[in-house]
């Protein structure tokens, strides 16, 4: 957990790269796998959620990880809709939360160039 946290911090300070939805989604997965359910874990997830939204990186991967790690009430409180509402997805989130997300083939092409 410490390595993942330090890596995320270093990435935030780097002039060469920025955290993207894969970074945030993977960090949430690490939290789920390495931290037992607790207030500490919920608080950490909340901080990561806010940073991810501020960075405009709230993509499908992050949303899926939030659904996996959070209790339904906390998920709804954070994102504004129920995790059982299958008609809502990451594209329904506020645009400033998703403004820098690159999905699918476009993401792969961007990395290759």
């Amino acid at each position: 957990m410490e390595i993942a946290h330090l890596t995320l911090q270093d990435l935030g300070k780097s002039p060469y790269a920025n955290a993207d939805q894969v970074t945030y989604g993977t960090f949430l997965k690490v939290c789920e796998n390495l931290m037992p359910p607790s207030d500490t874990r919920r608080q950490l997830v909340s901080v990561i959620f806010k940073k991810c939204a501020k960075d405009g990186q709230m993509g499908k991967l992050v949303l899926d990880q939030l659904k996996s790690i959070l209790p339904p009430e906390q998920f709804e409180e954070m994102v504004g809709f129920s995790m059982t509402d299958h008609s809502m997805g990451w594209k329904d989130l506020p645009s400033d939360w998703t403004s820098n997300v690159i999905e699918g083939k476009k993401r792969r092409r961007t990395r290759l160039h």
Side-chain angles (χ1 to χ4, degrees), residues 10 28 31 38 58 60 85 96 107:
D10 288 348
L28 291 170
C31 292
S38 64
M58 191 66 61
K60 182 180 181 327
D85 185 351
D96 55 326
R107 175 177 171 67

Side-chain angles (χ1 to χ4, degrees), residues 9 30 42 47 62 75 82 102:
Q9 281 184 325
V30 169
R42 280 188 289 281
V47 167
V62 175
F75 177 86
S82 170
I102 301 172

Side-chain angles (χ1 to χ4, degrees), residues 12-49:
K13 297 173 190 172
S14 173
Y16 304 106
N18 296 312
D20 64 4
Q21 71 151 339
V22 175
T23 308
Y24 289 114
T26 303
F27 187 82
L28 291 170
K29 187 68 170 176
V30 169
C31 292
E32 182 179 25
N33 288 334
L34 298 180
M35 295 179 75
S38 64
D39 285 340
T40 303
R41 183 170 94 169
R42 280 188 289 281
Q43 289 171 353
L44 180 58
V45 169
S46 179
V47 167
I48 295 303
F49 168 82

Side-chain angles (χ1 to χ4, degrees), residues 67-82:
K67 285 179 183 178
S68 179
I69 196 171
L70 292 174
E73 14 353 292
Q74 188 179 7
F75 177 86
E76 187 170 353
E77 182 182 308
M78 281 186 177
V79 301
F81 58 85
S82 170

